[in-house]
Amino acid sequence: MTASDESVRREEATSGAVLTVDLAALRDNYRTLDRLSGNATCAAVIKADAYGIGATAAARALAAAGCGTFFVALPSEGAQVRQVLPEAAIHVLNGLFPGAAPEFERNGLIPVLGSLAEIEEWAAHCRTREKRLPAAIHVDTGITRLGLGPEDVDRLVDGSTLLGDFELSLVMSHLACADSPDHPMNARQRKRFDDMIARLPKVPASLANSGGVFNGPDYHYDLVRPGIALYGGRATVRPQSALKPVVHLGGRIMQTRTIDAGTSVGYGATWTAQRRSRIAVVSVGYADGYFRLLGGTTDRCRAFVCVDGRRAPVVGRVSMDMITVDVTDVPPEAAERGAYVELLGENIGVDELAEAADTIGYEILTSLGSRYARVYSGA
Ligand SMILES: *Cc1c(COP(=O)(O)O)cnc(C)c1O
């Protein structure tokens, strides 16, 4: 047993839950998306700590699967990834923050410039440094967040020499409705994107997030930028090719108690046993990203865990540090003190839990708590 095995074991023994990140599944998902993307380069979006699974571990695993291009949201995230991937192209989606150009250069980060002000600042930095440093340009085709509009593109191309000051490496835009392939917004954005890239120098173009990958070759251009699908989350309302769950969350049972019919459980007494029941108390709560909305009332249970292959409902309110689960129909030996229940994994999907909490898989993953013992398998 190595020192790090020992520390993982100690962490597991002292934590309420174990979060296992399956890096082999992550690599497989990357290869699946790469195949689906045809001739386009498949990049990886690893912002927000790689959607909660750990940016450096994810970056290493994805690089091992052949990924050489990455996107993060913030320059601080880019600097962290640079530590483990000295050669990768790392783009920063939230663009150039005022005064941050030297940090971008120092860490070899590629800003995704989303306004004329950012382009001017990057160009000025490049002139000062007498280097044509790479940058991507973000054009807005309808999501109305970041990006140059058509008039900005005109001013850049016809009214300035700024494009001569830096190396334009990529032109990208972002789809507002990629998860709904039949939404008219998709075709509208594609048309606007075509019009805008035609006005700009001929460099690689990128439009698709995960949903865009599933929307077919018309959306792939030269480079695709999947995030959620890499992590096993649903990216489209249409049936999606088999992507593997990457996140497995096991919660520890602290005790199991038997209660009589008519006994209520938890804060607010929102759930009352209708029969003699066994209740397992599990050491995970809303402070760990297990949303309070997932609690079950007498009338309606929202969320399930899996114990020994059987689904068991979360009953009563979710507390800060614990949940209560009705394990009456689970064999007693499977729900003893010290056993683990599956909160996320093969049986309880990220999207199932998201639906139960009236949200999306993205929010479930990026809310995963910091108190879990984290285990990386398949490295
Ligand atoms: C987050 C993000 C992505 C990845 O989106 P998914 O839906 O997770 O695949 C791609 N492009 C941009 C601009 C993003 O902000």
Side-chain angles (χ1 to χ4, degrees), residues 2 30 40 44 50 55 79 92 94 140 170 193 226 230 250 258 275-276 280 304 313 322 341 343 376:
T2 67
Y30 175 78
V92 177
N94 282 13
D140 176 30
L170 181 76
F193 192 52
L230 290 168
T258 300
R275 56 176 175 171
R276 193 170 162 81
F304 292 80
M322 63 191 93
V341 304
L343 301 162
Y376 289 90

Side-chain angles (χ1 to χ4, degrees), residues 8 12 17 28 92 103 113 148 166 177 195 199 212 237 240 242 251 258 263 337 347 373-374:
V8 166
E12 280 182 41
D28 284 348
V92 177
E103 279 305 301
L113 304 170
L148 281 69
F166 62 95
C177 304
D195 292 346
R199 312 256 305 105
V237 297
Q240 157 179 322
T258 300
T263 308
R337 170 171 181 254
N347 301 291
R374 284 188 173 232

Side-chain angles (χ1 to χ4, degrees), residues 138-147 172-178 185 188-189 192 207 209 225:
H138 196 156
V139 295
D140 176 30
T141 52
I143 196 169
T144 322
R145 301 188 313 189
L146 302 175
M172 58 159 272
S173 188
H174 192 45
L175 295 166
C177 304
M185 197 69 174
R188 205 179 304 150
Q189 286 194 263
R192 287 188 192 149
L207 181 61
N209 62 342
R225 314 181 306 269

Side-chain angles (χ1 to χ4, degrees), residues 16 249-259 263-267 270-273 275-285 290-291 294-297 301-319 321-332 334-337 339-344 348 352-353:
L249 183 60
R252 174 198 295 283
I253 297 179
M254 296 179 283
Q255 61 172 268
T256 299
R257 48 203 301 150
T258 300
I259 58 174
T263 308
S264 66
V265 171
Y267 284 122
T270 58
W271 185 85
T272 301
R275 56 176 175 171
R276 193 170 162 81
S277 304
R278 278 184 313 115
I279 303 296
V281 189
V282 176
S283 184
V284 164
Y290 200 86
F291 296 144
L294 292 167
T297 62
C301 285
R302 284 177 169 261
F304 292 80
V305 307
C306 188
V307 196
D308 195 37
R310 269 168 255 242
R311 293 161 66 82
V314 174
V315 297
R317 290 234 172 107
V318 172
S319 304
D321 312 298
M322 63 191 93
I323 57 174
T324 34
V325 177
D326 181 355
V327 292
T328 313
D329 298 327
V330 172
E336 280 173 351
R337 170 171 181 254
Y340 282 86
V341 304
E342 178 188 315
L343 301 162
L344 279 176
I348 310 291
E352 175 187 332
L353 201 62

Side-chain angles (χ1 to χ4, degrees), residues 48-72:
D49 208 22
Y51 292 47
I53 75 163
T56 54
R60 278 204 192 93
L62 290 161
C67 183
T69 305
F70 294 85
F71 289 82
V72 293

